Amino acid sequence: MVQEDVIQDRPLAAGDFAAWLAGMERALDSGGDGQSVVPCGGCTACCTSSQFVHIGPEEAETLARIPSQLLFPAPGLPSGHVLLGYDEHGHCPMLGDGGCSIYEHRPRTCRTYDCRVFPAAGVEVDDEDQLPIARRARRWQFSFPAEVDRIRHTAVRAADRFVREHRDLLAGAGVPTNATQRAVLAVRLHGEFLRHDDRIERSVVVEPEPEAVRVAMTSPLGARGRAG
Ligand code: SF4
């Protein structure tokens, strides 16, 4: 048992940070059509962590494969947007013994979900119902082979810290209410925390004005991800 725990907690290679970040931004910018290449292995942590999965009305292939009684209207979104819930154990009802039973047609939310976003932003998953994700997220270890990897990592973490420390000033701009939203928002905002310094010919991390951050937060590319 102890040995199994040690194996389950073994570090996992998350890849070079800047390359991962670029891929994550592409997935977010594509409106969810980009597919994250996440080395999940057999991990089903995000399918067993009491998460509501958003499905858009245009995801016909997915909707056709999920019994309608498992879906309900997504609060705050236009008609046609639905959520897929979870059972009394926190498991997605589409999860079978061999993994996702609709894997080829799984929701866009699932295809783009990447729990490396938590260590990237330095955000701890602190919801008790999401312990499998918390445990998995702690195992990822990014590589920082070049300066750009470290600078971008610093910028993402600075973005999360800024939003936490300026909640009052940013109120009304969509301040995150859960760990997933927090981490995704830090990725989306990190560019606001980078400036090119012509003297040293590289990017440096800076602190922007709250108004610039507010504008970025209210841009059409809102924080995405599963509702925690
Ligand atoms: S639909 Fe499939 S991939 Fe998505 S949470 Fe459910 S079991 Fe996991």
Side-chain angles (χ1 to χ4, degrees):
M1 187 64 178
V2 170
Q3 199 173 13
E4 193 176 306
D5 280 352
V6 169
I7 291 170
Q8 285 181 355
D9 287 332
R10 219 166 32 194
L12 294 165
D16 294 352
F17 188 82
W20 171 83
L21 184 62
M24 183 75 186
E25 288 191 288
R26 274 196 302 278
L28 293 173
D29 288 349
S30 69
D33 288 330
Q35 183 158 334
S36 302
V37 182
V38 186
C40 297
C43 177
T44 54
C46 58
C47 311
T48 57
S49 288
S50 307
Q51 301 204 86
F52 293 107
V53 177
H54 167 253
I55 305 170
E58 70 288 358
E59 297 184 69
E61 292 289 340
T62 299
L63 291 166
R65 287 165 175 80
I66 301 176
S68 57
Q69 64 269 26
L70 297 176
L71 302 169
F72 58 93
L77 290 178
S79 171
H81 289 263
V82 294
L83 295 181
L84 171 63
Y86 47 86
D87 67 16
E88 67 275 21
H89 305 294
H91 293 193
C92 172
M94 304 313 293
L95 182 65
D97 290 341
C100 178
S101 59
I102 54 167
Y103 187 81
E104 290 303 322
H105 300 282
R106 64 198 185 284
R108 183 187 297 150
T109 302
C110 305
R111 282 185 273 124
T112 56
Y113 189 79
D114 187 341
C115 64
R116 289 174 293 184
V117 76
F118 297 111
V123 172
E124 232 348 89
V125 180
D126 52 8
D127 188 328
E128 271 188 20
D129 291 335
Q130 299 191 339
L131 287 177
I133 293 179
R135 195 167 184 180
R136 178 80 172 183
R138 276 188 222 114
R139 294 174 64 190
W140 292 119
Q141 293 197 350
F142 284 103
S143 306
F144 302 92
E147 195 167 10
V148 65
D149 294 291
R150 293 235 170 254
I151 289 174
R152 290 190 180 272
H153 192 217
T154 303
V156 172
R157 289 177 173 231
D160 176 61
R161 192 168 52 249
F162 186 94
V163 172
R164 274 188 288 118
E165 291 175 354
H166 295 80
R167 295 184 79 86
D168 292 348
L169 289 173
L170 298 171
V175 173
T177 56
N178 63 48
T180 303
Q181 291 174 359
R182 234 183 93 187
V184 170
L185 182 62
V187 166
R188 280 189 48 233
L189 293 178
H190 84 278
E192 298 296 322
F193 293 74
L194 290 171
R195 291 286 178 277
H196 187 76
D197 187 327
D198 292 335
R199 283 180 304 113
I200 55 177
E201 295 191 340
R202 66 172 173 81
S203 293
V204 293
V205 178
V206 296
E207 181 161 319
E209 291 298 323
E211 188 52 29
V213 176
R214 169 189 286 280
V215 169
M217 286 173 69
T218 52
S219 76
L221 296 175
R224 300 187 183 82
R226 301 175 190 217

Coordinates of all heavy atoms in Angstrom, one line a residue, residues 46-47 53 84 92 94-95 100 102 106-107 110 226, ligand 1:
C46 N -10.0 14.0 -13.2 CA -11.0 15.0 -13.5 C -12.4 14.5 -13.8 O -13.3 15.2 -13.8 CB -10.5 15.9 -14.6 SG -10.2 15.1 -16.2
C47 N -12.5 13.2 -14.0 CA -13.8 12.5 -14.2 C -14.4 12.1 -12.8 O -15.5 11.6 -12.8 CB -13.7 11.3 -15.1 SG -12.8 11.6 -16.6
V53 N -19.7 19.4 -16.0 CA -19.1 19.6 -17.3 C -20.0 20.4 -18.2 O -21.2 19.9 -18.5 CB -18.8 18.2 -17.9 CG1 -18.2 18.3 -19.3 CG2 -17.9 17.4 -17.0
L84 N -23.4 18.6 -17.4 CA -23.5 17.2 -17.1 C -23.0 17.1 -15.7 O -21.9 17.6 -15.3 CB -22.5 16.4 -18.1 CG -22.2 14.9 -17.8 CD1 -23.5 14.1 -17.9 CD2 -21.2 14.4 -18.8
C92 N -18.4 11.2 -12.9 CA -19.2 11.5 -14.1 C -19.9 10.2 -14.5 O -19.4 9.1 -14.5 CB -18.2 11.9 -15.2 SG -19.1 12.1 -16.8
M94 N -20.8 9.2 -17.2 CA -20.3 8.6 -18.5 C -19.0 7.9 -18.3 O -18.4 7.3 -19.3 CB -20.1 9.7 -19.6 CG -21.3 10.6 -19.8 SD -22.8 9.6 -20.0 CE -22.5 8.8 -21.6
L95 N -18.5 7.8 -17.1 CA -17.2 7.1 -16.8 C -17.6 5.6 -16.6 O -18.4 5.3 -15.7 CB -16.6 7.7 -15.6 CG -15.2 7.1 -15.2 CD1 -14.2 7.4 -16.2 CD2 -14.8 7.7 -13.8
C100 N -13.6 6.8 -20.1 CA -14.8 7.5 -20.6 C -15.5 6.7 -21.6 O -14.9 6.3 -22.6 CB -14.3 8.8 -21.2 SG -15.7 9.8 -21.9
I102 N -17.7 7.7 -23.7 CA -17.9 8.4 -25.0 C -16.6 9.2 -25.4 O -16.7 10.3 -25.9 CB -19.1 9.4 -24.8 CG1 -18.8 10.4 -23.6 CG2 -20.4 8.7 -24.6 CD1 -19.8 11.6 -23.5
R106 N -16.3 12.9 -26.4 CA -16.4 13.5 -25.1 C -16.6 15.0 -25.2 O -16.2 15.6 -26.3 CB -15.2 13.2 -24.2 CG -13.9 13.7 -24.7 CD -12.8 12.9 -24.0 NE -11.4 13.4 -24.3 CZ -10.8 13.2 -25.4 NH1 -11.4 12.6 -26.4 NH2 -9.6 13.7 -25.6
P107 N -17.2 15.7 -24.2 CA -17.4 17.1 -24.3 C -16.1 17.9 -24.6 O -15.0 17.5 -24.2 CB -18.0 17.5 -23.0 CG -18.6 16.2 -22.5 CD -17.7 15.1 -23.0
C110 N -14.0 18.6 -21.6 CA -13.1 17.5 -21.2 C -11.9 17.4 -22.1 O -10.8 17.2 -21.6 CB -13.8 16.1 -21.3 SG -15.4 16.1 -20.4
R226 N -14.2 23.9 -16.3 CA -15.3 23.2 -15.6 C -15.7 24.0 -14.4 O -14.8 24.6 -13.7 CB -14.9 21.8 -15.1 CG -14.5 21.0 -16.3 CD -14.0 19.7 -15.7 NE -13.3 18.9 -16.8 CZ -13.4 17.6 -17.0 NH1 -14.1 16.9 -16.1 NH2 -12.8 17.0 -18.0
Ligands
SF4_1 S1 -17.6 12.9 -20.3 FE1 -15.9 11.4 -20.2 S2 -14.0 12.6 -20.1 FE2 -15.7 14.0 -19.6 S3 -15.8 13.9 -17.3 FE3 -17.2 12.3 -18.1 S4 -16.0 10.4 -18.2 FE4 -14.6 12.1 -18.0

